[in-house]
Amino acid sequence: MFIIGVGTSAPEMVVSVLSAMEGSSGLALGNAYGSNVVNITLVLGLTAVISPLFIQPTVVKKDFIWLFAITALALWQLWDKQLSRFEGFILLFVLFVLLTQQFIEARKSAKDSAAALAEEELSQLQEIKIPLALAKLTGGLIALIISSRLIVWGAVELAQLWGLSELIIGLTIVAIGTSLPELVSSVMAARRGEHEMALGNVIGSNIFNTLAVVGLASAISPFNIAPEILRRDIFVMVALTVLLFVLCLWALRNGGRMGRSAGAILTASFIVYTLWLLHDALT
């Protein structure tokens, strides 16, 4: 949930931080919450249409508790139409607690796996893989920062040229663009039969977007919340989270299979929401 969820949310994090540093609060929030909507509807919807998912009870019982709690926290923080630095630090603290809990659980699992390997073999694997992994990480971060900077510049220019708000651009073009890693990884996981990873990717990514992406952006620059975020976007995100939970429960009652019909419902939700955004932008 977190290794892939955090990794695929890196574009959202860098884009929102750069947007906050330049005072583009609408772009920063639109990117974060728009990506959450895209993850549930387009990413998971298309994944289920391409390759039906099999839902594990542990994902529903455990991961959704965190997702609901964090979504409720986001709704509560936005209710006064402001997002302060202190509230941003609260989000980051919750992220730290969650990552610590995940790290402790991962360490326990790792010990069980490592017990099957001799100490010498484990040491050789680390020597071979760590330098290569660090090189890939460094190169990826450099490419990410450059591409994210281009995304911010392009998004701001499009908003100015088309006469649209930065929020609308963030909720649509930027949100879809930064969610492409989630789409690719979820489809690949589903096609390989790693169904729990596909759903965990979306849940982990949404949790990270709400805590780290919004938390870092608001810690850098406090936001005044646009009325349409409360009127439209945050409630759409909450409603879609509930819809995904219901579809997962329905799948568990039918052998754990989330089929193409559920994927079609989620994909249709994305189309309806996008048309709603375009209607608001043009009126």
Side-chain angles (χ1 to χ4, degrees):
M1 183 176 80
F2 266 88
I3 295 298
I4 296 181
V6 170
T8 54
S9 288
E12 286 91 339
M13 181 175 65
V14 179
V15 167
S16 289
V17 166
L18 292 175
S19 300
M21 292 173 66
E22 296 183 359
S24 301
S25 60
L27 182 58
L29 288 179
N31 175 37
Y33 295 136
S35 292
N36 284 358
V37 171
V38 171
N39 286 344
I40 294 175
T41 56
L42 187 63
V43 172
L44 208 56
L46 285 180
T47 302
V49 169
I50 293 171
S51 178
L53 303 174
F54 288 89
I55 309 301
Q56 300 295 326
T58 53
V59 175
V60 177
K61 292 178 182 178
K62 182 180 176 183
D63 299 343
F64 267 104
I65 293 176
W66 277 108
L67 183 58
F68 277 127
I70 290 164
T71 303
L73 174 62
L75 181 60
W76 176 73
Q77 286 188 335
L78 296 177
W79 201 252
D80 62 353
K81 299 180 181 180
Q82 290 183 331
L83 199 57
S84 65
R85 281 194 175 93
F86 178 69
E87 289 173 321
F89 285 122
I90 290 176
L91 293 173
L92 294 176
F93 176 74
V94 174
L95 176 66
F96 172 77
V97 171
L98 183 54
L99 287 176
T100 301
Q101 183 251 341
Q102 291 287 323
F103 178 77
I104 292 172
E105 290 187 3
R107 290 285 292 179
K108 292 179 181 178
S109 299
K111 287 180 180 179
D112 295 336
S113 300
L117 288 173
E119 184 176 344
E120 184 178 350
E121 292 176 333
L122 201 59
S123 176
Q124 289 176 352
L125 285 174
Q126 290 174 342
E127 289 178 1
I128 294 171
K129 292 185 176 181
I130 289 178
L132 180 60
L134 288 175
K136 289 180 178 179
L137 177 63
T138 302
L141 286 174
I142 293 172
L144 177 62
I145 293 172
I146 294 173
S147 60
S148 297
R149 163 59 67 184
L150 294 174
I151 287 174
V152 173
W153 283 342
V156 172
E157 289 181 7
L158 281 178
Q160 294 171 346
L161 290 172
W162 291 350
L164 300 175
S165 69
E166 291 179 355
L167 175 62
I168 293 294
I169 296 295
L171 288 166
T172 52
I173 297 173
V174 177
I176 294 172
T178 55
S179 291
L180 290 178
E182 284 91 340
L183 177 60
V184 173
S185 59
S186 292
V187 170
M188 288 177 62
R191 292 181 66 87
R192 292 174 180 172
E194 299 164 344
H195 304 284
E196 187 174 3
M197 189 178 294
L199 179 60
N201 170 35
V202 167
I203 294 177
S205 181
N206 282 19
I207 289 174
F208 192 78
N209 286 344
T210 304
L211 294 179
V213 176
V214 178
L216 280 172
S218 57
I220 292 171
S221 177
F223 297 147
N224 289 320
I225 307 302
E228 53 265 38
I229 291 181
L230 287 173
R231 174 179 58 84
R232 179 190 61 208
D233 306 313
I234 192 68
F235 283 109
V236 169
M237 188 177 75
V238 172
L240 289 172
T241 302
V242 174
L243 173 62
L244 177 59
F245 180 69
V246 171
L247 290 175
C248 287
L249 288 180
W250 181 260
L252 289 177
R253 294 187 61 181
N254 292 274
R257 186 176 185 273
M258 179 183 286
R260 290 183 171 86
S261 58
I265 291 173
L266 293 174
T267 306
S269 299
F270 169 77
I271 296 172
V272 171
Y273 176 64
T274 302
L275 291 175
W276 187 3
L277 289 176
L278 291 175
H279 175 268
D280 285 357
L282 297 174
T283 56

